[in-house]
Amino acid sequence: MKATIVSATDPATLGDAIATANSAIGADKTIVIPTDTVYGIATDAFSVAGVGNLLAAKGRTRQMPPPVLIYDQSVLPGLADEISEDARALATEFWPGALTLIFYSQPSLNWDLGETQGTVALRVPNDPVAIELLKNLGPLAVSSANKTGRPAATTAQEAMDQLGNDVEVIFDGGSRPENRPEGFEAKDALPSTIVDCTSDRLIVVREGAISVERLREVVPSVLTRAEFEAQEKARNEAEASLVATSEAMEDTEFSPRHMTEAEHEEAEVAPGRQAAAPAAGSLAADLVGGTSGAGSVDQRRTASAHVPETRVVESGTKPYSVAAARSLVFGTQQEAPAKPLTEAASEGEEQPSA
């Protein structure tokens, strides 16, 4: 059965279109929505069957889990765990916008996005249609609307050509990205930039619409993947060198020798007389910790002290109970009636721009 294309730009019909999408999402189906970068195939992030249908439509396995779109930064602590100050700064500056942030997922939430290793990739799109849908439908698992290996759809018709038999509804919001130059093609579309925020160092795992230089204007310590790997290689080599040096010192054997006559005399200390300090380099000096005894220091203990600094974690993000997390994520948007598109667009313009 072919998907139905509905207008997402007509305020008079938007409410009915959202109701249609809500019905599809509730039945574990997939829909296509416009975002600020490209069109995306979407489903309920908390529906295991829906996520499975999304991956099947794209031709992907569970090893390539989809990110999750949310309507506002306020939802972030309900879904993500251990949010650092640097990650919060990027979200504040670039959301809504073309920036995806990877966090550890709130352990209290019961969802299955695939083989995520306990993480979730989150983004707030800078698109009034997408924001309106997210407010009414809740967090959506979303991936670019295309078959794997083909360009992402930048129009509703391109989405229909690739996914018309795999989705229920396609929201037509016009060409994406908006205000694109003449001659723009789907292959020219830039995806969102992805930053891994699961450690003390923020790492760009995919550079897209937002450059690394722009990210560093907000968080100077942001690393590219290549820079991170170079740092890790250097640290591993340094640690290996320290271990090798320590093991070599432990394996060193002091050759036994006979004491000289003078050393015998020095050893016979008269009552009440203090023995002189052993000569540097002598066996006695080695045993009592003289200058040549430095080799007895355990440098592996020193190496173990070179650990990354403890990351600063915003208080109050861990843990959320199931009820509290779901209340934060779903608490208000499902009860509020759909706003006209013009009002949603006005709200979107007030948000910080990417």
Side-chain angles (χ1 to χ4, degrees):
M1 176 179 166
K2 275 285 186 181
T4 301
I5 296 181
V6 297
S7 173
T9 58
D10 184 356
T13 61
L14 183 59
D16 291 338
I18 289 176
T20 301
N22 192 35
S23 176
I25 292 293
D28 302 323
K29 302 292 181 61
T30 55
I31 62 176
V32 169
I33 64 174
T35 76
D36 48 344
T37 54
V38 295
Y39 274 73
I41 178 173
T43 193
D44 179 6
F46 291 89
S47 168
V48 175
V51 172
N53 290 332
L54 184 155
L55 294 174
K58 283 188 64 78
R60 285 186 173 179
T61 65
R62 287 174 51 82
Q63 281 65 45
M64 299 183 73
V68 173
L69 297 189
I70 55 179
Y71 79 93
D72 187 77
Q73 184 180 335
S74 63
V75 180
L76 179 59
L79 299 178
D81 192 17
E82 300 186 12
I83 306 168
S84 70
E85 292 296 335
D86 284 346
R88 177 72 73 179
L90 290 183
T92 299
E93 177 68 18
F94 297 108
W95 282 359
L99 179 66
T100 300
L101 301 177
I102 300 174
F103 297 98
Y104 286 112
S105 174
Q106 271 289 349
S108 57
L109 295 178
N110 182 26
W111 58 1
D112 184 1
L113 298 168
E115 301 300 328
T116 65
Q117 305 299 314
T119 65
V120 61
L122 298 172
R123 184 165 90 86
V124 178
N126 189 18
D127 186 277
V129 175
I131 293 294
E132 192 67 17
L133 287 168
L134 291 164
K135 283 182 177 180
N136 286 273
L137 303 179
L140 297 177
V142 180
S143 186
S144 57
N146 62 286
K147 294 290 187 180
T148 298
R150 296 182 62 182
T154 59
T155 67
Q157 188 56 53
E158 290 175 1
M160 174 66 82
D161 294 341
Q162 294 195 54
L163 299 169
N165 294 322
D166 302 297
V167 301
E168 194 80 2
V169 183
I170 297 176
F171 279 80
D172 187 355
S175 300
R176 291 294 187 275
E178 294 182 303
N179 303 317
R180 61 193 198 180
E182 186 177 352
F184 184 92
E185 297 181 9
K187 62 181 178 61
D188 301 322
L190 290 176
S192 67
T193 295
I194 301 177
V195 178
D196 185 347
C197 304
T198 60
S199 72
D200 58 313
R201 290 170 288 179
L202 271 56
I203 303 162
V204 179
V205 296
R206 182 181 75 186
E207 185 173 355
I210 300 175
S211 68
V212 175
E213 291 72 21
R214 182 71 183 91
L215 295 174
R216 285 175 176 163
E217 292 177 7
V218 181
V219 179
S221 60
V222 167
L223 298 172
T224 65
R225 186 195 294 267
E227 290 168 341
F228 169 74
E229 290 176 349
Q231 286 188 7
E232 287 297 287
K233 180 180 179 182
R235 182 161 64 177
N236 291 338
E237 289 176 348
E239 290 179 351
S241 177
L242 285 172
V243 171
T245 301
S246 177
E247 291 176 347
M249 289 180 174
E250 289 179 351
D251 291 341
T252 301
E253 295 181 359
F254 295 105
S255 300
R257 62 182 176 86
H258 295 288
M259 295 177 68
T260 64
E261 185 176 345
E263 289 171 338
H264 274 293
E265 293 176 355
E266 283 293 323
E268 296 174 357
V269 182
R273 176 186 170 192
Q274 184 176 1
S282 68
L283 177 61
D286 288 335
L287 294 176
V288 301
T291 57
S292 65
S296 64
V297 175
D298 182 3
Q299 293 193 26
R300 284 178 296 184
R301 184 173 300 168
T302 304
S304 68
H306 294 281
V307 296
E309 296 181 1
T310 303
R311 58 177 175 262
V312 178
V313 178
E314 181 175 301
S315 62
T317 65
K318 177 182 180 181
Y320 268 70
S321 67
V322 175
R326 291 191 67 88
S327 175
L328 182 59
V329 176
F330 295 108
T332 58
Q333 68 265 29
Q334 288 188 332
E335 298 174 359
K339 295 181 181 179
L341 181 61
T342 53
E343 184 179 348
S346 175
E347 291 180 357
E349 291 172 358
E350 296 174 359
Q351 299 290 344
S353 171

